[in-house]
Amino acid sequence: MPKAHEDTALRTPVSFSKMDVEVASKDFYESKNLLEINVLVKERGNGIPIDLGVNIKEKSDTEVVYKKKIVKITDQYYVIFVHGLPDKWKSVSFDFYDKNESKSVMKGDQKIYVSSAKTEKHDRFIPQKDAFYEVKYTNLLMKDAEKIIKEEQEMIAKANKNQNELQQKIESLKEELDYKTETEKAEVNQTISSLTLKIEGYKREKTDHEKLIKEQQERIKNLKKKKQELEVK
C-alpha cells in the first residue's frame, strides 16, 4: 500500500522480477482524472520478450481497481494510463510483472510510486499518436548520450590534469639528478620510469574516453535523424 505522498524520483531504476523500470515522465489530466506515466523498461533474463503487466493501487482507497491501459511504444518504452482516480488522490503504486510469469513469481516488495504532489498537472487531455511518444523516447536517449559525453569529457580533463602533474614531477626529478649519488640516481630513475608508465596509462584512458565520445556523438546524430522522420508522421 502506498504511503501518503510517496513518490519515486524520475529516472530512478526499480527492480522487479524480470526487469528494471524507470519513470520517464508523469502527468495528470484533471478534466478526465487521468494519470499518464511513461516508463523505460530494461528486461533481464533469457531474452524472451516480456508481456508487461501492472497492478495499481491508490493510497486513499486501495480496494478500488482502476481502469488501465498499457501502450507499448518500443521494447523499452511504454505509456501507462490510469483512469478514474479520485479528485484528491495522493499516491499511486505500480507493481510491474511479466504476464507470462507464475503468480508466485509475480508478487514482490518493490513498487514504483507516483504522488500527486510530484506530478505535472494539465487541464485537458489530448490523445497523441505513437510517433509523439517515440519522439519523447528519442529525446530521452539523446539526453542520456549527452550526459555520457559530458561525463567522459570530465574524465579526460581529470586525466589531463593528472598527466600534467606527473610530467611536472618528472621534470623536477630530472633537474635534481646532477646532485645525486649513483645510488640515488638509480632510485630517481626508477621513480621516473614508474611515473612515465602512469602517464602512458592516462593516455590510454583518454583514448578510450575519446572513442566513447565519438560513439555517443554518432548516436545523437542518428537519433536526430530518426526524430526528424518521426515528426513528419
Side-chain angles (χ1 to χ4, degrees), residues 40 74 76-77 133-142:
L40 287 161
T74 73
Q76 296 82 33
Y77 200 76
Y133 294 104
E134 284 190 72
V135 168
K136 288 184 69 175
Y137 178 47
T138 303
N139 286 335
L140 205 66
L141 295 178
M142 286 194 289

Side-chain angles (χ1 to χ4, degrees), residues 3 8 14 71 82 90 147 177 203 217 223 225:
K3 298 176 183 177
T8 303
V14 178
V71 181
V82 184
K90 296 179 180 178
K147 181 181 178 183
L177 280 174
K203 288 179 179 179
Q217 288 172 335
L223 287 167
K225 182 179 178 181

Side-chain angles (χ1 to χ4, degrees), residues 191-206:
T191 300
I192 289 173
S193 296
S194 176
L195 294 177
T196 301
L197 286 174
K198 288 182 179 179
I199 287 175
E200 292 303 315
Y202 284 125
K203 288 179 179 179
R204 288 192 295 271
E205 281 183 25
K206 287 193 294 182

Side-chain angles (χ1 to χ4, degrees), residues 41-169:
V41 178
K42 183 178 179 180
E43 298 179 23
R44 299 192 311 271
N46 56 14
I48 298 175
I50 64 170
D51 184 3
L52 190 68
V54 61
N55 293 317
I56 299 170
K57 298 290 183 183
E58 200 280 318
K59 170 66 181 176
S60 62
D61 193 344
T62 57
E63 299 302 317
V64 174
V65 177
Y66 294 98
K67 181 183 176 183
K68 63 197 175 191
K69 182 179 180 181
I70 301 175
V71 181
K72 182 178 180 179
I73 305 302
T74 73
D75 287 340
Q76 296 82 33
Y77 200 76
Y78 294 77
V79 181
I80 299 170
F81 297 99
V82 184
H83 296 265
L85 286 171
D87 291 334
K88 295 182 179 180
W89 67 281
K90 296 179 180 178
S91 181
V92 179
S93 67
F94 295 82
D95 181 10
F96 291 93
Y97 62 91
D98 182 0
K99 292 178 183 177
N100 298 317
E101 292 178 306
S102 64
K103 290 185 178 180
S104 61
V105 177
M106 286 182 188
K107 191 173 181 180
D109 295 328
Q110 291 281 60
K111 290 180 177 60
I112 281 177
Y113 297 94
V114 174
S115 75
S116 175
K118 297 292 181 68
T119 302
E120 292 287 332
K121 305 294 194 306
H122 308 276
D123 293 330
R124 191 163 61 96
F125 173 72
I126 301 174
Q128 303 288 351
K129 295 180 180 179
D130 285 2
F132 170 83
Y133 294 104
E134 284 190 72
V135 168
K136 288 184 69 175
Y137 178 47
T138 303
N139 286 335
L140 205 66
L141 295 178
M142 286 194 289
K143 285 183 180 179
D144 286 349
E146 289 166 356
K147 181 181 178 183
I148 291 172
I149 289 172
K150 183 179 179 181
E151 290 172 348
E152 294 302 311
Q153 289 172 336
E154 289 172 352
M155 294 296 289
I156 289 174
K158 184 177 180 181
N160 280 331
K161 180 176 179 294
N162 291 336
Q163 182 180 328
N164 290 337
E165 289 176 351
L166 290 177
Q167 189 61 50
Q168 290 173 10
K169 179 66 174 176

Side-chain angles (χ1 to χ4, degrees), residues 210-225:
E210 288 164 356
K211 181 181 177 182
L212 187 51
I213 286 173
K214 287 181 179 179
E215 290 174 353
Q216 295 304 315
Q217 288 172 335
E218 183 66 21
R219 180 173 174 78
I220 290 172
K221 180 182 175 181
N222 293 333
L223 287 167
K224 283 182 177 178
K225 182 179 178 181

Side-chain angles (χ1 to χ4, degrees), residues 8-29:
T8 303
L10 294 177
R11 300 308 305 273
T12 301
V14 178
S15 295
F16 297 90
S17 60
K18 289 180 65 177
M19 70 199 88
D20 295 325
V21 182
E22 300 176 18
V23 177
S25 64
K26 41 196 175 184
D27 300 271
F28 183 67
Y29 301 94

